Amino acid sequence: MSWFESFILGLVQGLTEFLPISSSAHLRLTAAFAGWHDPGAAFTAITQIGTEAAVLIYFRKDIARIVSAWSRSLVDKSVRGDHDAQMGWLVIVGSIPIGVLGVTFKDQIEGPFRDLRLIATTLIGMGIVLGIADRLAARDEAGGKHRAVRERKTLRELGVRDGLIFGICQAMALIPGVSRSGATISGGLLMGYTREAAARYSFLLAIPAVLASGVFELKDASEGGHVSWGPTIFATIIAFIVGYAVIAWFMRFITTKSFMPFVIYRVLLGIVLFVLVGTDTLSPHAGESAG
């Protein structure tokens, strides 16, 4: 991998990780369109450490409160009813599905799941789900002539059942094209949560999963020697810088705007990808021959 490739891929990772359009799909597509080798699941997991570092800094106050309250709740029963302490447990509970499925389907994630036809399908399918969830949320918020405004749930109403459902939605993002934020935000909206609540829990829920995945891949890459360390670290730094700016923008965007621009983008990109593969302009396995 060249330094130029790592710069572009790091930029793509930072731009797309927190938007509901799938960073893993865009890394895969960027390489395929440019005629580069598929950066692979290991590169994706390692560069995601950079974007998760951005989450840790952006939500540092929330995280500090949650970790402090959760830690104290282990020895002090009176703290266990605290919202932040409960959030700590709910993040752990919500992380279980992706941990189990990530280990179980590791070979598929690094191989068959990266087929461009599957990515096109998930881009369109998840885009439609996100569109439906967004419209339902907008209808609740706006009300209507014969319909009262419906109050949506906040994170203070999050329980174990909903936490697990969020976690299952996050686990779907193991398939490139689904999008971690897209799946969890859609799940949250469909369960009746506000856009801000769904996005905030989505970002918090991603921290243990992404960091664990990145460390796991770091270990494998160190032992296998199949990662270009210089360019990969460079891409991770770029992803961190760009990712932080994207989080700040996205959290402001969702308070007043609809997700429909992302829905339209996903569907159009999926259709274009199907056309390119269907006309043999692009191979569904473009770049896969490389390590």
Side-chain angles (χ1 to χ4, degrees):
M1 178 183 292
S2 71
W3 291 96
F4 177 72
E5 288 178 42
S6 69
F7 172 77
I8 296 299
L9 293 173
L11 185 64
V12 170
Q13 169 66 25
L15 286 171
T16 60
E17 172 67 17
F18 304 113
L19 303 181
I21 56 176
S22 178
S23 61
S24 57
H26 279 75
L27 288 174
R28 176 81 177 86
L29 293 176
T30 299
F33 288 151
W36 301 335
H37 296 321
D38 180 0
F43 176 88
T44 300
I46 294 170
T47 54
Q48 282 179 335
I49 294 177
T51 46
E52 285 313 302
V55 172
L56 290 173
I57 293 176
Y58 187 85
F59 292 105
R60 60 190 179 279
K61 293 180 180 178
D62 299 59
I63 294 169
R65 284 199 323 272
I66 291 170
V67 171
S68 174
W70 178 81
S71 300
R72 286 185 286 115
S73 74
L74 296 176
V75 294
D76 186 351
K77 291 183 179 181
S78 66
V79 183
R80 294 175 186 174
D82 183 85
H83 171 67
D84 289 325
Q86 293 174 346
M87 278 297 296
W89 286 113
L90 289 169
V91 168
I92 293 172
V93 167
S95 300
I96 293 173
I98 197 170
V100 173
L101 295 177
V103 172
T104 304
F105 294 102
K106 184 177 186 296
D107 292 339
Q108 288 79 4
I109 294 167
E110 296 178 348
F113 284 3
R114 302 182 74 79
D115 187 301
L116 295 183
R117 291 165 296 192
L118 177 59
I119 290 175
T121 301
T122 53
L123 281 169
I124 295 172
M126 195 64 229
I128 293 172
V129 172
L130 178 61
I132 293 172
D134 186 65
R135 290 302 296 267
L136 290 174
R139 187 181 66 178
D140 287 347
E141 293 164 357
K145 186 176 180 180
H146 302 292
R147 185 178 62 251
V149 173
R150 179 185 173 190
E151 191 73 22
R152 298 211 126 221
K153 294 188 285 187
T154 68
L155 289 184
R156 289 194 172 276
E157 298 167 81
L158 182 66
V160 173
R161 183 188 72 89
D162 287 359
L164 276 173
I165 294 175
F166 266 112
I168 293 170
C169 292
Q170 177 179 239
M172 292 170 58
L174 292 169
I175 305 173
V178 171
S179 168
R180 187 189 313 278
S181 64
T184 50
I185 290 173
S186 294
L189 294 179
L190 290 173
M191 286 189 288
Y193 287 88
T194 65
R195 290 185 175 88
E196 193 274 340
R200 186 172 291 269
Y201 185 61
S202 170
F203 290 156
L204 294 175
L205 189 60
I207 294 172
V210 171
L211 291 181
S213 174
V215 170
F216 185 76
E217 290 293 352
L218 276 172
K219 177 178 176 294
D220 278 6
S222 298
E223 295 174 351
H226 57 276
V227 170
S228 302
W229 283 110
T232 299
I233 293 172
F234 179 57
T236 302
I237 294 172
I238 296 297
F240 162 72
I241 296 170
V242 176
Y244 187 88
V246 171
I247 294 174
W249 172 83
F250 187 63
M251 292 305 292
R252 289 194 301 269
F253 176 87
I254 60 174
T255 58
T256 58
K257 305 293 184 182
S258 164
F259 286 116
M260 290 311 294
F262 302 113
V263 172
I264 295 169
Y265 173 78
R266 290 181 63 106
V267 172
L268 289 179
L269 180 59
I271 292 172
V272 169
L273 194 52
F274 267 129
V275 171
L276 291 175
V277 173
T279 57
D280 293 326
T281 303
L282 190 65
S283 166
H285 307 288
E288 284 187 357
S289 58

